[in-house]
Amino acid sequence: KMGFESRKHYSLGMIERIVEAVAITTSRSASELLQSLAGITISHQSVISLKNYAGEKAKTYEKALAEEEKVEKPTQPEIIAIEGDGIVLKNKKKGGVSEVHRLQVYEGVRKNGNRTELVGLRCFASTSRKELFALVASYLHGHYDLSKTTVLSNGDGGSGYQFQDFERMVEGCLNHQHFRDCYHVHEKIRTRLSFCNRKLIDRIIRELHQTDDIMKQIPVWMDTARSCARTEADLEGVDRLQSYLERNAPYIPSLSQRGIHTEIHLGTAETNHRFYSYRMKRQGRSWSSEGMECMVWVLTARKNKTLTAALLYHANGKSYKKMDRAMHKAAVQTEHKIAQNVRSEAQKRKMRNYRPGCLEGRIGVYGASSSPMGRLARAIQKY
């Protein structure tokens, strides 16, 4: 009733410190780090177990926060941005890979010294794209009134990050503007036209974000590229690039080309990948399904600064209210039991340490008269 779990060796505060350590380095390194700096003796298997434990609690908390908590007066920002992308990671199966899906929601940008930071940033990540998109949709409709909000969505056009996927999430918003991520568009152009002069490629990319009608310019650019082709493979690359640009032409124009004036610069999802990829991709690391999911949620909770709240939510429940009658009764009974145990222990300790003082005794005179005791007895008799 009090929320204590049996066979749990570490407190919530200690679990948080251990998870913070394993979130920035491997489990073995975290174990050595805790041993040398904090004096905590813990095996790397226990570190992994606690990481999975915290990951499950973080997932439960983030889902409860997005699905259950409905703001009484949801905010109505003029513009919010939603960006999504995926990270491919190695799994334990030989040669196998898995994808971690990421979405982030923010309301704007502000200056922090020489850097900029996102306002109202909320990150979501999971190995299940369907579950992730449903979670973000619940969060958006629970925390925002989208009826007077313009939503800017940004994706690379891969499976799950297309216009219709974001459209379902922001249903009912004032205006939805979808963008194809410029990094991927530029990378596609450079890859397909790798045989062309670099100045030509740079000019195409520059004009891509300056022209009023992309569809009219695409044939001109592609005809110029075909004139530089040397092989059939080069021509095939130009045709595939033309199909890609024509298919994504409605989503390529930038914010300024669409007449949207805001301080938001789309494309930050790629930068925020590093928070995950530095921990989960380096040194050829591979993951089990459970380990990958738990680590993703631990990193997401750290990014959102909700790891402490997630552990407390599991211990105390959603409401954080005072103890109810049953819990109060259980606490009082436990207190009385502890007091009784303390009194009984004190009595036992008193009995063990009992010193009766000076005892009455006698000196035996049946020993040899030459022994020390015999000489003492003779001296007493003479006295």
Side-chain angles (χ1 to χ4, degrees):
K1 191 64 180 177
M2 292 290 290
F4 300 117
E5 296 186 63
S6 59
R7 299 182 295 278
K8 290 296 181 183
H9 183 62
Y10 299 99
S11 66
L12 294 178
M14 188 58 65
I15 291 175
E16 182 182 3
R17 285 163 176 76
I18 293 170
V19 172
E20 290 281 354
V22 79
I24 60 176
T25 186
T26 63
S27 56
R28 290 184 183 275
S29 298
S31 175
E32 296 171 1
L33 187 69
L34 292 165
Q35 172 67 33
S36 59
L37 297 181
I40 303 170
T41 304
I42 182 171
S43 66
H44 71 278
Q45 293 95 338
S46 298
V47 170
I48 294 174
S49 176
L50 292 176
K51 180 262 296 180
N52 292 342
Y53 171 85
E56 292 174 0
K57 305 313 171 192
K59 181 178 180 180
T60 302
Y61 176 75
E62 293 288 347
K63 290 181 69 175
L65 194 67
E67 296 175 355
E68 298 176 11
E69 183 180 345
K70 303 298 180 183
V71 180
E72 294 182 2
K73 294 182 179 180
T75 57
Q76 290 183 330
E78 281 189 38
I79 296 177
I80 63 171
I82 306 173
E83 298 190 40
D85 204 355
I87 310 174
V88 177
L89 303 174
K90 292 182 180 179
N91 59 31
K92 292 291 186 182
K93 297 179 182 178
K94 188 175 181 180
V97 294
S98 299
E99 186 174 5
V100 173
H101 303 278
R102 287 192 57 247
L103 288 171
Q104 62 181 35
V105 180
Y106 58 98
E107 302 170 14
V109 179
R110 63 167 168 248
K111 272 284 189 181
N112 183 10
N114 293 328
R115 297 186 177 184
T116 56
E117 60 182 16
L118 303 179
V119 178
L121 175 64
R122 193 76 181 178
C123 296
F124 303 87
S126 177
T127 55
S128 172
R129 186 178 66 236
K130 183 179 179 181
E131 180 181 349
L132 178 67
F133 274 65
L135 186 64
V136 176
S138 299
Y139 173 80
L140 289 172
H141 291 285
H143 290 72
Y144 295 105
D145 181 2
L146 300 178
S147 60
K148 298 181 180 179
T149 301
T150 297
V151 178
L152 310 178
S153 60
N154 185 65
D156 61 1
S159 178
Y161 302 101
Q162 299 177 1
F163 169 75
Q164 57 270 21
D165 299 302
F166 289 97
E167 180 72 13
R168 283 192 288 268
M169 278 196 297
V170 299
E171 185 177 1
C173 68
L174 177 65
N175 184 22
H176 177 207
Q177 294 286 338
H178 183 65
F179 296 81
R180 187 65 67 238
D181 188 71
C182 62
Y183 169 81
H184 291 90
V185 175
H186 297 172
E187 191 69 18
K188 186 74 72 173
I189 294 173
R190 295 185 189 280
T191 303
R192 298 298 185 201
L193 303 183
S194 58
F195 58 88
C196 291
N197 187 290
R198 183 172 179 178
K199 291 183 179 179
L200 174 61
I201 298 174
D202 292 341
R203 182 176 177 180
I204 292 174
I205 292 174
R206 185 169 59 253
E207 292 182 358
L208 191 68
H209 300 293
Q210 294 177 352
T211 183
D212 295 330
D213 192 347
I214 294 176
M215 289 300 293
K216 287 184 179 180
Q217 294 296 324
I218 289 175
V220 179
W221 297 331
M222 296 302 102
D223 288 342
T224 306
R226 286 189 183 92
S227 66
C228 302
R230 302 182 185 87
T231 63
E232 291 294 329
D234 294 343
L235 291 172
E236 183 182 354
V238 174
D239 293 337
R240 294 176 66 181
L241 177 61
Q242 183 171 357
S243 299
Y244 173 82
L245 293 176
E246 290 176 348
R247 187 170 61 251
N248 294 286
Y251 314 124
I252 292 176
S254 62
L255 288 163
S256 59
Q257 285 175 289
R258 304 189 197 190
I260 302 174
H261 304 287
T262 177
E263 295 180 351
I264 292 176
H265 299 282
L266 297 173
T268 57
E270 291 290 334
T271 304
N272 287 334
H273 273 342
R274 298 173 187 171
F275 189 78
Y276 295 84
S277 59
Y278 281 8
R279 174 61 183 89
M280 302 185 72
K281 289 190 74 169
R282 302 170 78 181
Q283 301 173 351
R285 294 169 187 165
S286 59
W287 300 83
S288 64
S289 299
E290 180 188 5
M292 183 184 297
E293 179 77 2
C294 291
M295 178 55 77
V296 164
W297 281 106
V298 165
L299 293 175
T300 302
R302 288 192 71 228
K303 188 71 175 176
N304 293 332
K305 299 180 181 179
T306 57
L307 182 58
T308 303
L311 294 173
L312 290 175
Y313 171 84
H314 169 68
N316 300 331
K318 178 175 179 290
S319 60
Y320 293 97
K321 292 181 179 178
K322 294 181 179 179
M323 292 186 298
D324 58 13
R325 285 189 134 188
M327 186 174 289
H328 180 72
K329 184 178 179 181
V332 171
Q333 291 176 348
T334 304
E335 186 178 359
H336 287 327
K337 188 174 181 180
I338 291 173
Q340 291 175 358
N341 291 338
V342 169
R343 285 195 294 271
S344 61
E345 285 294 328
Q347 291 174 356
K348 291 179 182 178
R349 194 180 299 112
K350 187 175 179 181
M351 291 298 296
R352 285 197 302 268
N353 298 333
Y354 175 67
R355 296 291 183 270
C358 184
L359 296 176
E360 181 182 357
R362 64 179 64 185
I363 300 174
V365 294
Y366 45 80
S369 58
S370 60
S371 66
M373 194 62 67
R375 289 197 296 271
L376 178 60
R378 202 165 48 249
I380 292 173
Q381 289 172 357
K382 290 179 179 179
Y383 181 78

